[in-house]
Amino acid sequence: FPRHERIVSNLPYMISEPVFHLLFQLNFKSASFIISKKFADKVTNPDENTKLSYLSQLMFESELVSEVQPRAYLPPPGTLTAIRSVKPREPQTQKEELLQAFFRQEDKKTSNALRESLIQLERVETKRQARELIASFEVSPVILETPVARLSIEQIRKLEFCLGEK
């Protein structure tokens, strides 16, 4: 991706979710998308128990700019459209800061991503200290061996609980 600060796009509905996953890895100031209303609501609904919803709320501040009625298009689509604006969210706690750094490393195993996040955030100085701290979290070995990108929402919730406010 070229370097950028702002993103504006009328996304094809079928690639909305992959683009949002890509946003978690990018450094940008703001992004505005025309997406399906159903998807726009899905990523911001706190009652939605999905990984995408969880990550979107952890990583972004989101605003529904407006709804676009089908009659605004020719031919009119069979669904409502929304303009959604997102910008990176500042973490409110140390745990949120750790989780944000952790989820930006989706290409690694959970144990390695936690270790690297702890070092990057200067919570520890060495890999040995990071491994000892991770052991104190008492995270399931199954979760620690799972790649970050493959964690289920249930595993994410367990990991979040184990991390507590340490």
Side-chain angles (χ1 to χ4, degrees):
F1 257 51
R3 295 183 66 128
H4 53 278
E5 291 183 346
R6 291 177 175 51
I7 304 166
V8 177
S9 180
N10 181 2
L11 289 176
Y13 294 168
M14 63 190 297
I15 68 166
S16 297
E17 188 166 340
V19 168
F20 265 71
H21 279 285
L22 180 62
L23 286 179
F24 302 140
Q25 310 302 318
L26 300 178
N27 185 17
F28 64 97
K29 289 186 179 177
S30 68
S32 295
F33 298 104
I34 298 174
I35 52 182
S36 77
K37 174 80 165 77
K38 185 176 178 180
F39 180 76
D41 292 341
K42 179 181 175 181
V43 298
T44 58
N45 184 350
D47 296 329
E48 187 78 34
N49 193 27
T50 65
K51 184 176 180 179
L52 180 63
S53 175
Y54 174 88
L55 291 176
S56 294
Q57 292 171 56
L58 174 69
M59 305 292 250
F60 305 132
E61 291 179 19
S62 181
E63 175 189 0
L64 179 64
V65 177
S66 70
E67 291 183 12
V68 182
Q69 298 300 318
R71 67 180 180 273
Y73 296 94
L74 221 107
T79 184
L80 289 176
T81 304
I83 301 173
R84 172 76 60 191
S85 179
V86 296
K87 64 181 182 178
R89 181 177 171 275
E90 289 296 320
Q92 304 300 308
T93 64
Q94 287 186 351
K95 181 170 74 171
E96 283 185 3
E97 184 179 38
L98 177 60
L99 287 167
Q100 285 184 354
F102 169 77
F103 284 112
R104 287 191 178 99
Q105 300 181 65
E106 67 176 11
D107 60 328
K108 296 180 180 166
K109 282 191 329 184
T110 295
S111 59
N112 295 342
L114 278 173
R115 184 190 68 222
E116 295 304 314
S117 298
L118 289 165
I119 292 169
Q120 173 190 7
L121 296 173
E122 299 177 348
R123 305 268 171 79
V124 295
E125 293 181 11
T126 66
K127 288 182 179 182
R128 174 178 280 157
Q129 290 171 333
R131 284 191 290 273
E132 290 169 0
L133 184 56
I134 292 167
S136 78
F137 294 150
E138 299 179 7
V139 178
S140 156
V142 171
I143 293 175
L144 290 175
E145 290 299 312
T146 303
V148 174
R150 295 198 182 265
L151 288 171
S152 69
I153 186 64
E154 292 79 17
Q155 290 174 314
I156 291 168
R157 299 270 186 215
K158 286 178 186 174
L159 176 64
E160 180 182 35
F161 177 78
C162 291
L163 293 178
E165 281 301 324
K166 294 183 180 186

